Amino acid sequence: MTYEISYEAEALLDIPYEDIIKKVIDAALDQESCPYEAEVSVTLTDAERVREINREFRGIDRTTDVLSFPMAEYQSPADFSFLEEEENFDCFNPETGELLLGDIILNVEKIREQAEAYGHSLVRELAFLTAHSMLHLMGYDHMEEQDRLLMEARQKLLMDTLGIPRE
């Protein structure tokens, strides 16, 4: 398992953010029965940088709490079987053989704001946004009602498994 975690924000998170992120990533991969060792890139940055990335890659000129950029397009959530097909070999790191799951961009300012607004800890907000993003990296989405309900159920299960339920 390779975690690439970089902290580029001016605002500080006075919590062991690397440990929390790694714990959530590992639990998400286990929950969704990922059959591969994986590589995940996580960047913690500020609101303006998230806005720039959102504008550049999604055409949306506003900030958000988290952005997810999966490496693969899943036919159905957490169905990793298609990755063995030759046209998907670019989803694996040629040096390590690990599945290149994708990139997570976390907005430190939003983590702080939302934790306060929802009345829960920074740990809970960081863990939740990481869990949410990990599910996106494994093919879950919330554009349709049925998909949203499934994704929310998987998020809740993951957070409960981690012992970090909604406060």
Side-chain angles (χ1 to χ4, degrees):
M1 182 69 215
T2 300
Y3 315 90
E4 294 180 7
I5 301 173
S6 60
Y7 199 100
E8 301 173 359
E10 287 187 30
L12 294 178
L13 282 180
D14 297 328
I15 55 175
Y17 65 89
E18 288 186 5
D19 294 339
I20 296 162
I21 290 168
K22 289 176 183 179
K23 183 177 176 182
V24 173
I25 289 171
D26 289 343
L29 292 169
D30 287 346
Q31 174 181 290
E32 300 307 317
S33 301
C34 180
Y36 307 104
E37 288 295 311
E39 181 176 317
V40 179
S41 173
V42 180
T43 302
L44 295 100
T45 192
D46 58 35
E48 188 53 39
R49 181 67 184 128
V50 171
R51 180 180 179 177
E52 291 169 8
I53 295 167
N54 205 16
R55 181 175 53 237
E56 179 179 348
F57 291 98
R58 298 180 64 227
I60 301 172
D61 190 15
R62 65 178 165 79
T63 196
T64 187
D65 50 8
V66 63
L67 292 169
S68 309
F69 296 99
M71 251 325 254
E73 262 187 63
Y74 294 79
Q75 297 300 315
S76 59
D79 178 2
F80 301 96
S81 62
F82 75 100
L83 293 170
E84 296 289 329
E85 298 168 11
E86 188 174 333
E87 65 268 16
N88 295 312
F89 286 167
D90 61 343
C91 291
F92 293 91
N93 183 323
E95 295 176 14
T96 65
E98 291 179 322
L99 172 61
L100 299 169
L101 207 52
D103 301 319
I104 297 172
I105 313 294
L106 293 160
N107 181 338
V108 172
E109 294 168 55
K110 283 284 191 184
I111 291 168
R112 296 181 74 76
E113 287 172 22
Q114 290 175 179
E116 185 175 326
Y118 299 138
H120 55 243
S121 69
L122 291 174
V123 169
R124 200 267 179 208
E125 188 64 19
L126 174 62
F128 175 79
L129 292 176
T130 303
H132 181 87
S133 194
M134 280 298 294
L135 290 173
H136 277 309
L137 295 187
M138 293 184 282
Y140 288 88
D141 208 338
H142 44 77
M143 300 305 284
E144 304 293 328
E145 181 69 8
Q146 182 178 356
D147 297 336
R148 181 186 66 79
L149 293 173
L150 175 61
M151 186 169 180
E152 286 178 0
R154 301 307 290 170
Q155 286 172 169
K156 182 180 183 326
L157 178 61
L158 182 54
M159 295 299 288
D160 288 348
T161 299
L162 288 164
I164 313 173
R166 182 170 229 139
E167 296 171 2

